[in-house]
Amino acid sequence: MTKIIHKMLPLSFRNYVSNNEVYRYYKGFLVNREMYKSKSKAIFVVGSPEHDNLGDHAITMGQMEFLKKAFPDYTLIEIVADRLTYNLKCLEQYSTPDDIFVLQGGGNFGIEYFREEEVRRKIITKFPNNKIILFPQTIFFGDTELGRKEFKKTQSLYSAHKDLTLVARERTSYEIMKENFKNNDVLLTPDIVMSLDITEPTRKREGALLCIRADKESIFNETEKQIIQDSVSKAFDRITSSDTCIIRYISVEEREKELYDLWNQFKEAELVITDRLHGMIFAAITSTPCIALGNYNYKVVGSYEWIKHLGYIKFTHDINDIPQLIEELSKIPAPRYNNDFSTEHYNQIIAAMSAKKDEFNPSSIVTA
């Protein structure tokens, strides 16, 4: 995987960078030479994380790998959400109308992780003449006074932009976006992490891995968590626990190592049980049998629709189904992930990013 350097470079270092073998100064940013294309247009990938959620880091990795392959003539520049204010003047000074802005995908299109929504609003407002695309997201503002108020503000700001495409990662979000953002193009694709395949190299598998969340999105009390534990302990002698959130800051430079450390835990498990969306997706892309449990909204069950054909990923809202699902999965031969199913859907993103303003017609794209 390619590491992307995104830090803005002080002016005094420009000469150093221009002669450096690793980095180039480009449009006010320090860019890895591998990602630099001489005199090219830029794709600014805005809103990436340095927080503790490895699911979000995997989204960024998936985005960068996807864009690198789909748009080899563009220079890719990643801008971390926490550093947008620091980099905004540089973006305003050096970007041109030919540059494209990609907004981070994920599950933060709403008020629960409002900092990310503020990042999107700032880019959409500040760059009215650029093509902007929001990578696959789940939308959830909630039926509260605050949720309704902020949703209305988001509708107004997004709808005013003349070249903004929204991508939903499951059907419910797609229907909400289509209904409420009629001035914007809206697409439906899988979460971009499904474009990755982390199966190789394989590792020896032993026991079960529990990846159960402990944050505000968890719907399980301690009694229910114990029921899950007891169900698994009857089938496996070895049980380990992990999470896609590791409760510490993860820098861009650490991202790849931390992701592979976690993916190796999945690859060493005979079975994963998780209520994390990216716990389920990580199981899929590492070819690991998995029981996915529903959470408080529709993002897990909605995303399951993309991968239920794999057979080795099972979904349930009822923890009492776990013993039966363990038995079913035990009878499946060693699975192997194949991401071909997602390609035709991601081609919609390529088409939207490649089209000139007013020329893209989402309804002309037919996907299975």
Side-chain angles (χ1 to χ4, degrees), residues 136-160:
Q137 272 276 1
T138 291
I139 184 170
F140 186 78
F141 278 83
D143 188 18
T144 64
E145 182 178 353
L146 178 62
R148 290 187 293 271
K149 174 185 174 183
E150 293 300 337
F151 187 33
K152 196 169 184 178
K153 185 174 181 179
T154 290
Q155 283 179 286
S156 177
L157 289 174
Y158 285 33
S159 298

Side-chain angles (χ1 to χ4, degrees), residues 189-206:
T189 79
D191 185 297
I192 199 65
V193 179
M194 294 186 197
S195 67
L196 301 174
D197 184 347
I198 314 296
T199 302
E200 303 295 339
T202 59
R203 299 172 76 93
K204 182 180 178 182
R205 297 184 182 274
E206 181 182 359

